[in-house]
Amino acid sequence: MEIKVTLASPGNMREKPGDESSLGFGKIFSDHMFVMRYREGTGWHKPQIVPYGPLALDPAAMVLHYGQEIFEGLKSYRGPGGSLCLFRPEKNFERMNLSARRLCMPQIPVGDALDAVTTLLRVDRGWIPASRGTSLYIRPTMIATEAGLGVRPSAEYLFYIITGPVGSYYARGPEPVRILVEETYVRAVRGGLGEAKAGANYAASLLASKNAKESGYDQVLWLSADGREEVEEVGTMNIFFVIGDEVVTPPLSGSILPGVTRDSVLTIARDWGMNVSERRIGMQEIKAAAAAGNLREAFGTGTAAVISPVGELRYRGENVVVNGGAHGEISRRLFDEITGIQYGEIPDRYGWVRRVE
Ligand SMILES: *Cc1c(COP(=O)(O)O)cnc(C)c1O
């Protein structure tokens, strides 16, 4: 793919953060973005890298009315010797195509999407922070841009990629989080959009997560729409439990996002010879395991936080405490293993790291 590059003029370069220890998440954006348009009949055209800036959209653009939007989230790191690395990026673009299919949006050849990301990273190389734990977050996004209020799939789309330096996802660091088990609202239903990475799922999640924060919790644990018993995800992450010697995560049932980190954790834990299950798990079982002293760990997995230990679940007015509220052994080992592979400190035995030359 031939990508036209228009650099920001020196006077329009954005200010780089001076202090890498307080980057936060998703607040700072790099100098450039990738954009590419799609029209029915023409296909994808005009791939370009341009200075970061506002998009011009018709107020009737379909994304603004009916929510035809999907996105991805991945990171670029400084590997050995300052080399630029990506972690399993092809998984993100394969998933983006699954999301696109569900929302009647066009497919993007994975090779073209990888070209777009790597070209953008080369242009904004100077934005990738160097300290361990920091990274450049990459946000590919596709929106429906055709103007019109008829309800049907748009005939025009914009695919763009923005990036920005990030520190650790959680303000409090890798401390175990406190979770409210949500029984009123659901994030997704089987047959709905839950397995697509679509903005609409996040819109559906805001009220419950706002209520949880107002009650002093960090996030919510989502239960399945049918019965409000089986566990699905935690906040915007996949969930794992360690019960006795079994590592359990809910199966990809249709309402759960197939996380790249989830897949990496499953692969590593199986490799370590652990007893790993993808099976349904309900709140009754978790409560009983906690009461019997068998609930050893609970943790969320996702690109942003990698592994986020859960210290406590609030369920029907009771506190289900996990591992005395402390960071568990397995989640710490998994965190060290995945970030070690990402930062090139541990041999990449799965071929997950892609170097950008
Ligand atoms: C993105 C996302 C995840 C995590 O996926 P990763 O590929 O591991 O980053 C989990 N759940 C939801 C709802 C998500 O949107």
Side-chain angles (χ1 to χ4, degrees):
M1 189 169 61
E2 189 79 31
I3 301 171
K4 184 179 166 210
V5 179
T6 308
L7 295 179
S9 57
N12 286 332
M13 300 285 237
R14 305 161 72 87
E15 199 182 327
K16 290 200 181 70
D19 178 8
E20 289 192 358
S21 67
S22 59
L23 289 171
F25 180 84
K27 293 182 296 198
I28 306 163
F29 298 98
S30 319
D31 280 319
H32 298 90
M33 60 185 186
F34 174 85
V35 294
M36 177 163 77
R37 300 211 165 253
Y38 178 93
R39 191 176 309 111
E40 230 168 69
T42 311
W44 289 109
H45 55 279
K46 279 209 195 158
Q48 293 189 63
I49 285 170
V50 295
Y52 183 97
L55 304 172
L57 278 184
D58 193 293
M62 286 179 169
V63 63
L64 302 175
H65 301 274
Y66 308 126
Q68 226 189 339
E69 186 265 1
I70 56 174
F71 66 94
E72 270 304 327
L74 66 161
K75 284 172 169 179
S76 174
Y77 316 82
R78 293 271 180 205
S83 61
L84 291 192
C85 297
L86 289 160
F87 186 69
R88 311 185 76 184
E90 63 290 340
K91 294 290 266 186
N92 291 90
F93 292 110
E94 285 161 10
R95 182 171 69 192
M96 192 164 200
N97 281 336
L98 295 177
S99 302
R101 186 161 294 126
R102 179 64 183 81
L103 278 93
C104 302
M105 300 170 88
Q107 300 287 295
I108 301 177
V110 171
D112 287 353
L114 290 172
D115 274 357
V117 167
T118 50
T119 309
L120 182 60
L121 288 178
R122 283 187 204 112
V123 170
D124 277 335
R125 187 181 280 270
W127 282 87
I128 304 173
S131 0
R132 177 70 155 84
T134 63
S135 56
L136 190 79
Y137 187 75
I138 304 169
R139 172 51 61 87
T141 309
M142 197 198 299
I143 57 173
T145 51
E146 185 187 350
L149 300 182
V151 180
R152 58 172 172 75
S154 172
E156 292 167 17
Y157 296 88
L158 176 69
F159 172 60
Y160 63 89
I161 306 174
I162 54 176
T163 72
V166 298
S168 191
Y169 189 70
Y170 287 97
R172 282 197 277 147
E175 268 174 65
V177 292
R178 298 176 67 229
I179 300 295
L180 186 63
V181 181
E182 175 61 50
E183 291 192 86
T184 304
Y185 303 108
V186 294
R187 188 189 82 87
V189 298
R190 258 166 238 176
L193 296 182
E195 62 185 351
K197 209 165 176 76
N201 288 322
Y202 282 66
S205 77
L206 293 175
L207 180 56
S209 114
K210 173 172 172 274
N211 290 345
K213 278 174 190 150
E214 282 169 4
S215 308
Y217 294 89
D218 298 293
Q219 257 308 340
V220 300
L221 186 74
W222 297 108
L223 300 180
S224 71
D226 44 349
R228 303 283 198 282
E229 165 60 19
E230 285 170 19
V231 172
E232 299 222 312
E233 298 205 48
V234 59
T236 59
M237 291 181 288
N238 296 115
I239 181 92
F240 284 76
F241 297 93
V242 182
I243 297 180
D245 75 344
E246 186 190 16
V247 179
V248 187
T249 194
L252 299 176
S253 57
S255 50
I256 290 175
L257 201 283
V260 178
T261 320
R262 175 188 182 277
D263 184 76
S264 307
V265 163
L266 287 172
T267 304
I268 292 170
R270 284 184 179 127
D271 228 27
W272 283 346
M274 287 178 172
N275 172 14
V276 179
S277 316
E278 292 176 74
R279 65 165 176 88
R280 296 176 177 193
I281 177 161
M283 281 310 300
Q284 293 315 312
E285 181 184 344
I286 290 162
K287 254 183 72 171
N294 287 335
L295 182 59
R296 288 170 52 204
E297 298 190 35
F299 55 90
T301 66
T303 294
V306 187
I307 305 279
S308 174
V310 171
E312 181 186 324
L313 296 167
R314 179 85 175 168
Y315 180 58
R316 300 196 175 157
E318 276 179 54
N319 288 335
V320 179
V321 177
V322 187
N323 192 34
H327 200 153
E329 174 65 27
I330 293 173
S331 59
R332 187 181 296 280
R333 271 182 72 198
L334 285 164
F335 180 86
D336 291 346
E337 186 75 11
I338 292 177
T339 58
I341 292 172
Q342 287 171 337
Y343 288 90
E345 297 150 0
I346 294 179
D348 176 23
R349 60 191 183 283
Y350 307 106
W352 283 343
V353 175
R354 180 183 286 253
R355 279 174 91 133
V356 179
E357 301 303 334

